[in-house]
Amino acid sequence: MIVCSCSMITAKEVADAVTSLRTADPFVVLTPGLIYRHLGKRPSCGSCLPLISKLMVAFDEEGPNVSGPSERLGVEEP
């Protein structure tokens, strides 16, 4: 699922970024800006920031499992 159409960021990229950041530093404070920087992108309009925040928190709280973070939020993949 694309969560940022301006920068073309997917839910999987957010999940992978959270995993990577947590692996590098388990105590890092995750923010949407940190996710963007980790992906080498910048927010444009900012309308995706609430969704990226929800995905980031959902994935961080539950950690990696069989279902993706978008499924845990009730968002269907196309």
Side-chain angles (χ1 to χ4, degrees), residues 43-62:
S44 182
C45 71
S47 66
C48 62
L49 295 178
L51 180 56
I52 288 179
S53 295
K54 285 180 183 180
L55 288 171
M56 177 185 70
V57 169
F59 187 75
D60 194 35
E61 286 177 352
E62 295 184 25

Side-chain angles (χ1 to χ4, degrees), residues 11-52:
K12 180 170 180 359
E13 289 177 308
V14 173
D16 292 345
V18 169
T19 299
S20 177
L21 290 164
R22 279 287 175 229
T23 300
D25 180 1
F27 300 109
V28 68
V29 176
L30 296 173
T31 64
L34 182 60
I35 299 294
Y36 269 95
R37 282 189 298 278
H38 182 78
L39 296 172
K41 301 181 180 188
R42 301 181 100 174
S44 182
C45 71
S47 66
C48 62
L49 295 178
L51 180 56
I52 288 179

